[in-house]
Amino acid sequence: MSVENSYQYGPVCVHESVRGQGVFEEVFFKSLESMDRFPIMATFINTVNPRSYAAHTKKAGMEEIGKFEFNGNIYYFMAIGTDHKRK
């Protein structure tokens, strides 16, 4: 993974009044479509945010490829190919 073949995505915050209505999925997959000049999308999620982790793994299909610590927090490092399609 490099600057030439990947891009950083996020953060996404969905208001509670529209959660569960597909807003996250629309934003996520539109990002994949619009940034297809890069083969890889990457993001990171704080380990204290299980809702975000579940959305990115279950709804979007991202994979956890590692963890890292920064400023006293531990983050999941996530990635997915931009050719990934909705299930």
Side-chain angles (χ1 to χ4, degrees):
M1 194 175 310
S2 69
V3 172
E4 290 79 24
N5 72 359
S6 63
Y7 75 100
Q8 168 65 42
Y9 150 88
V12 173
C13 183
V14 177
H15 192 272
E16 61 189 31
S17 67
V18 293
R19 287 184 188 148
Q21 297 178 29
V23 173
F24 167 77
E25 294 93 323
E26 286 297 317
V27 170
F28 183 87
F29 287 103
K30 184 55 82 175
S31 179
L32 283 184
E33 292 170 18
S34 66
M35 296 295 283
D36 64 353
R37 67 183 176 272
F38 298 102
I40 303 167
M41 171 204 276
T43 197
F44 56 92
I45 300 168
N46 195 315
T47 58
V48 300
N49 191 345
R51 178 176 285 158
S52 181
Y53 184 85
H56 284 85
T57 55
K58 295 177 181 167
K59 293 180 179 182
M62 290 194 87
E63 293 184 37
E64 177 188 335
I65 59 173
K67 291 181 183 173
F68 65 94
E69 184 177 349
F70 178 74
N71 203 24
N73 294 296
I74 300 172
Y75 295 90
Y76 298 110
F77 186 36
M78 313 287 290
I80 194 168
T82 55
D83 60 351
H84 183 82
K85 302 296 181 209
R86 291 181 204 224
K87 295 179 183 177

